Amino acid sequence: MQGPGNFELSRRDVLKLGAAASAVPLVANAQQAGVDAAVMSSVTLNVNGKTHTLQIDTRTTLLDAVREHVQLTGTKKGCDHGQCGACTVLVDGRRIVSCLTLAVMKDGAEITTIEGLATNGELHPLQKAFISHDGFQCGYCTPGQICSAVGLIAEGHAKTADEIRELMSGNVCRCGCYPNIVAAIEEVMHGASAGSSS
């Protein structure tokens, strides 16, 4: 295509120019509507036994508050849509996906991340079991898997391997380590039940 001043414009160049031109009014309208205006709020989060008072945008997720503001990066950002479970943490002992939870909703809550499971340098039994059963490959999903498994055992609903699989189905392992993960959870779950019955 012949452009002004006798230089050639490819089809790709025309598409790029058109896309750029159409984006300008959208950005201007968004700024006029105040879409980018942050509303700040003070939030107190008790993370792994330590109190953190944060000044954050009210749109900040619990995941981003923990990773970006508290600087605990063990909790992973996977899909950011609540579908993979990589961001699972414990809030007041219950497992939640932190990417779908606003930090302001958990003001004053007790939050446990993967970093908070070990006690006095001693790994949590599930952390040990994941190691002994090779319950991970790349390890990206592992913090969420372990936090979810801690919550699952505390809930007390799972009794069989099938029930573990069902109740852990919100945690995706792209490496396919599911049999090893289930074995690790079973070991700790049965150990915990044996300990409680003695």
Side-chain angles (χ1 to χ4, degrees), residues 14-24:
V14 171
L15 290 172
K16 284 181 185 175
L17 288 170
S22 65
V24 170

Side-chain angles (χ1 to χ4, degrees), residues 115-193:
E115 293 94 341
L117 291 179
T119 310
N120 298 323
E122 179 77 14
L123 291 179
H124 186 280
L126 271 165
Q127 291 172 309
K128 292 178 183 177
F130 265 66
I131 293 169
S132 65
H133 287 278
D134 247 353
F136 51 87
Q137 186 171 324
C138 79
Y140 196 83
C141 74
T142 306
Q145 295 274 5
I146 292 174
C147 284
S148 188
V150 170
L152 174 139
I153 291 171
E155 291 159 13
H157 301 306
K159 306 295 183 215
T160 66
D162 283 341
E163 289 172 339
I164 291 171
R165 280 190 278 275
E166 176 64 28
L167 293 170
M168 288 292 292
S169 63
N171 290 80
V172 177
C173 174
R174 297 191 188 281
C175 300
C177 295
Y178 297 114
N180 302 0
I181 290 169
V182 171
I185 295 170
E186 278 189 300
E187 177 186 296
V188 175
M189 186 174 72
H190 294 314
S193 61

Side-chain angles (χ1 to χ4, degrees), residues 26-186:
L26 293 175
V27 171
N29 289 342
Q31 288 172 339
Q32 286 175 356
V35 171
D36 292 330
V39 177
M40 304 302 284
S41 180
S42 177
V43 177
T44 299
L45 302 176
N46 300 308
V47 185
N48 302 330
K50 293 183 181 173
T51 301
H52 301 268
T53 301
L54 311 172
Q55 291 295 323
I56 56 173
D57 186 328
T58 55
R59 299 168 293 184
T60 303
T61 64
L62 182 58
L63 171 62
D64 287 335
V66 167
R67 286 182 58 83
E68 306 299 328
H69 297 275
V70 183
Q71 300 295 309
L72 294 174
T73 56
T75 305
K76 300 303 183 213
K77 182 177 280 199
C79 66
D80 216 18
H81 288 86
Q83 297 174 346
C84 74
C87 68
T88 303
V89 297
L90 300 168
V91 176
D92 295 329
R94 298 186 63 190
R95 54 189 172 148
I96 66 159
V97 285
S98 59
C99 73
L100 294 184
T101 306
L102 294 175
V104 293
M105 295 167 60
K106 300 304 172 187
D107 188 23
E110 293 289 336
I111 298 154
T112 305
T113 69
I114 190 70
E115 293 94 341
L117 291 179
T119 310
N120 298 323
E122 179 77 14
L123 291 179
H124 186 280
L126 271 165
Q127 291 172 309
K128 292 178 183 177
F130 265 66
I131 293 169
S132 65
H133 287 278
D134 247 353
F136 51 87
Q137 186 171 324
C138 79
Y140 196 83
C141 74
T142 306
Q145 295 274 5
I146 292 174
C147 284
S148 188
V150 170
L152 174 139
I153 291 171
E155 291 159 13
H157 301 306
K159 306 295 183 215
T160 66
D162 283 341
E163 289 172 339
I164 291 171
R165 280 190 278 275
E166 176 64 28
L167 293 170
M168 288 292 292
S169 63
N171 290 80
V172 177
C173 174
R174 297 191 188 281
C175 300
C177 295
Y178 297 114
N180 302 0
I181 290 169
V182 171
I185 295 170
E186 278 189 300

